[in-house]
């Protein structure tokens, strides 16, 4: 038999939680696993701006023919402006181009293959910890993956250790940085930290790959782009992976892009030719619908204003959930222990709970979070914060 020697790999550590949660019959269950935003009703709604754009598309779209290798040109132009800023000199100088990808994960996969194919010998440096799929995507592309420290054993951001390791990275290697809302920890660098990272990147001639999956969920749509724009302004070359899964709520439509910033317009065309070739061999051409929705929203002043309000509402709600959870933990004497929840940004909190405590939370209280102790704060509704705090207190005190 051909398949006899094939064994089973463990299920995905994050998506697998969705399945276990769905099967749990408890009416009290909490879904703090996969990074999906939920509203006060516990639903992940389609944004109103998205619905309106979809209605417009349904009326006006005339074809389902393939879109090109780089995807929808209008989408590419508008996403460049969203990420780099409408007045970015890179856009005037034609030094930045977006290649549409199936989600942010597709953009990471495309970057990995591009590095392996066009920049042979370069290692890739990831934060420790990072999103588990970063580890496998780059390793599967045949790249050497190494780590720089990010969070210490005290569950606090350790910038000094990060900078010290980056300062010894071999010249020319690729360093993956999280633009905002670091996944899984929620700890973000300050502007001063970013400037120090930039100096090392420049000094070591590193190629930054900035993963920008949560624009708008940290401090705001423009504010979250600060580091990306600093790097784009200060360095000649840069890779940025952007995702529309969270901020447009287009999770299942798979919309993302790989933005390349190059030294000049001609070099950008060279790099983009390689990306189109690699993408053709991965997924041929990207899916159209979600990117057409994004282009419709960003290309229309009214829809864009509505969308910005909706993103801001999600952001503010997540911030409120963070402070609400802290308040609910206070009567248990846990304010200090979990103070970091108020400092972290975006959906995720690296709670500092151990794998055993996470297991106990799941088995005893039907609270689902990633084994690393990562909780999706956006997955809880405010009326149940006390219940969640009681469960956390139970495993902390047992
Ligand atoms: C997460 O980390 O939960 C999200 O980025 C969703 C995913 O694909 O893992």
């Amino acid at each position: 038999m051909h398949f006899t020697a094939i064994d089973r790999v463990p299920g995905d550590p994050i998506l697998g939680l969705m399945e276990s949660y769905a099967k749990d019959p408890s009416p009290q269950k909490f879904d703090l696993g996969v990074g999906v935003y939920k509203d006060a009703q516990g639903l992940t709604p389609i944004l109103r701006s998205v619905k309106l754009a979809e209605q417009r598309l349904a009326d006006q779209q005339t074809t389902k023919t393939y879109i090109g290798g780089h995807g929808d040109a209008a989408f590419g132009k508008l996403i460049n402006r969203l990420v780099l800023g409408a007045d970015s000199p890179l856009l005037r100088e034609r030094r930045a181009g977006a290649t549409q990808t199936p989600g942010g994960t597709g953009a990471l996969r495309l970057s990995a293959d591009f590095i392996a194919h066009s920049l042979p010998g370069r290692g890739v440096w990831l934060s420790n910890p990072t999103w588990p799929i970063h580890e496998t995507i780059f390793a599967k592309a045949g790249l050497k993956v190494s780590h720089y420290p990010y969070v210490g054993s005290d569950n606090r951001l350790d910038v000094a250790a990060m900078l010290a390791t980056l300062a010894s990275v071999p010249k020319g290697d690729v360093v993956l940085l999280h633009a905002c809302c670091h996944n899984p920890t929620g700890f973000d660098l300050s502007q001063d930290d970013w400037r120090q990272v930039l100096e090392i990147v420049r000094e070591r001639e590193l190629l930054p790959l900035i993963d920008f999956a949560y624009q708008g969920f940290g401090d705001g749509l423009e504010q979250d782009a600060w580091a990306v724009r600093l790097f784009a302004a200060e360095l000649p070359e840069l890779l940025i992976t952007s995702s529309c899964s969270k901020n447009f709520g287009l999770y299942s439509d798979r919309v993302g892009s790989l933005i390349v910033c190059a030294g000049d317009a001609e070099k950008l065309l060279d790099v983009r030719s390689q990306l189109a070739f690699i993408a053709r061999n991965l997924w041929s051409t990207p899916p159209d619908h979600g990117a057409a929705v994004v282009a419709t929203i960003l290309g229309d002043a009214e829809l864009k204003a509505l969308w910005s309000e909706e993103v801001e509402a999600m952001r503010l709600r997540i911030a409120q959930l963070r402070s609400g959870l802290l308040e609910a933990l206070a009567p248990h004497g846990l304010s200090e222990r979990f103070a970091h929840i108020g400092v972290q940004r975006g959906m995720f909190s690296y709670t500092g709970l151990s794998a055993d405590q996470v297991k106990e939370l799941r088995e005893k209280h039907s609270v689902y979070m990633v084994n690393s102790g990562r909780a999706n704060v956006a997955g809880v509704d405010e009326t149940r914060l006390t219940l969640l705090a009681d469960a956390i207190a139970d495993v902390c005190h047992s």
Side-chain angles (χ1 to χ4, degrees):
M1 301 290 278
H2 297 289
F3 301 154
T4 312
I6 298 176
D7 39 58
R8 203 170 302 180
V9 293
D12 182 84
I14 297 176
L15 298 181
L17 279 178
M18 287 177 92
E19 287 167 34
S20 318
Y21 172 81
K23 282 192 205 137
D24 188 330
S26 166
Q28 305 282 25
K29 59 188 178 177
F30 286 90
D31 180 10
L32 312 185
V34 70
V36 168
Y37 174 84
K38 293 194 183 170
D39 65 13
Q41 282 71 46
L43 303 171
T44 305
I46 300 175
L47 299 186
R48 278 202 302 138
S49 50
V50 167
K51 268 283 178 213
L52 290 169
E54 287 188 313
Q55 273 156 6
R56 206 177 283 181
L57 284 171
D59 290 344
Q60 295 174 1
Q61 244 182 358
T62 52
T63 179
K64 291 280 183 192
T65 189
Y66 295 123
I67 51 176
H70 292 290
D72 180 329
F75 166 82
K77 219 168 133 191
L78 291 161
I79 213 75
N80 263 337
R81 291 162 66 103
L82 182 70
V83 169
L84 296 169
D87 54 359
S88 168
L90 277 93
L91 302 181
R92 278 197 307 278
E93 294 158 14
R94 299 185 178 281
R95 287 177 42 220
T99 297
Q100 187 190 320
T101 56
T105 311
L108 287 160
R109 176 63 205 265
L110 183 59
S111 329
D113 279 11
F114 167 69
I115 296 162
H117 175 266
S118 303
L119 301 171
R122 314 292 183 101
V124 175
W125 291 75
L126 307 176
S127 63
N128 180 21
T130 195
W131 184 49
I133 315 306
H134 283 152
E135 307 278 355
T136 43
I137 282 184
F138 292 98
K140 287 244 168 259
L143 295 163
K144 178 167 184 263
V145 174
S146 312
H147 299 91
Y148 59 86
Y150 194 72
V151 165
S153 51
D154 57 351
N155 197 27
R156 295 287 179 275
L157 185 61
D158 191 349
V159 181
M162 171 184 183
L163 296 174
T165 300
L166 289 183
S168 64
V169 166
K171 282 205 167 168
D173 271 6
V174 178
V175 56
L176 189 147
L177 301 159
H178 300 226
C180 67
C181 309
H182 183 271
N183 182 3
T185 68
F187 287 115
D188 283 346
L189 299 177
S190 69
Q191 294 192 350
D192 191 45
D193 299 335
W194 275 110
R195 286 198 187 91
Q196 295 191 64
V197 173
L198 174 66
E199 279 327 303
I200 296 176
V201 162
R202 211 194 314 257
E203 212 266 316
R204 304 294 307 156
E205 295 166 21
L206 307 178
L207 174 62
L209 163 53
I210 306 190
D211 191 355
F212 199 12
Y214 297 89
Q215 184 174 5
F217 275 35
D219 291 320
L221 282 164
E222 293 295 306
Q223 292 87 332
D224 290 347
W226 184 87
V228 170
R229 293 176 190 174
L230 173 76
F231 275 50
E234 294 286 329
L235 298 169
E237 294 172 332
L238 180 64
L239 300 174
I240 306 157
T241 53
S242 154
S243 169
C244 301
S245 295
K246 327 281 167 166
N247 52 11
F248 285 85
L250 285 166
Y251 305 89
S252 62
D253 280 313
R254 311 308 298 139
V255 197
S257 57
L258 170 58
I259 299 177
V260 175
C261 305
D264 61 55
E266 282 304 307
K267 193 42 66 187
L268 178 67
L269 293 177
D270 294 339
V271 174
R272 280 169 67 74
S273 72
Q274 296 288 346
L275 295 181
F277 172 77
I278 297 166
R280 174 71 163 139
N281 288 277
L282 286 169
W283 47 73
S284 196
T285 57
D288 170 52
H289 179 73
V293 169
V294 171
T296 305
I297 294 173
L298 295 180
D300 179 290
E302 247 174 72
L303 284 180
K304 187 175 175 194
L306 172 61
W307 168 73
S308 305
E309 277 170 30
E310 292 184 288
V311 179
E312 186 62 4
M314 290 192 279
R315 184 184 81 79
L316 291 175
R317 184 160 175 278
I318 298 170
Q320 277 163 10
L321 287 168
R322 284 187 180 279
S323 43
L325 182 55
L326 267 179
E327 271 172 40
L329 287 164
H332 297 282
L334 291 171
S335 304
E336 207 172 306
R337 171 156 177 192
F338 288 103
H340 50 272
I341 293 178
V343 175
Q344 294 159 335
R345 287 283 178 278
M347 289 177 148
F348 301 124
S349 172
Y350 218 42
T351 56
L353 292 165
S354 67
D356 283 345
Q357 288 169 326
V358 169
K359 187 163 178 265
E360 195 180 339
L361 271 173
R362 187 156 57 228
E363 288 172 357
K364 206 163 147 196
H365 300 283
S366 292
V367 176
Y368 288 78
M369 60 174 80
V370 183
N371 284 341
S372 62
R374 186 195 83 171
N376 171 19
V377 185
V380 59
D381 84 75
E382 39 273 73
T383 60
R384 302 204 309 142
L385 285 169
T386 313
L387 212 59
L388 176 61
D390 291 349
I392 293 175
D394 181 47
V395 304
C396 286
H397 293 138
S398 67

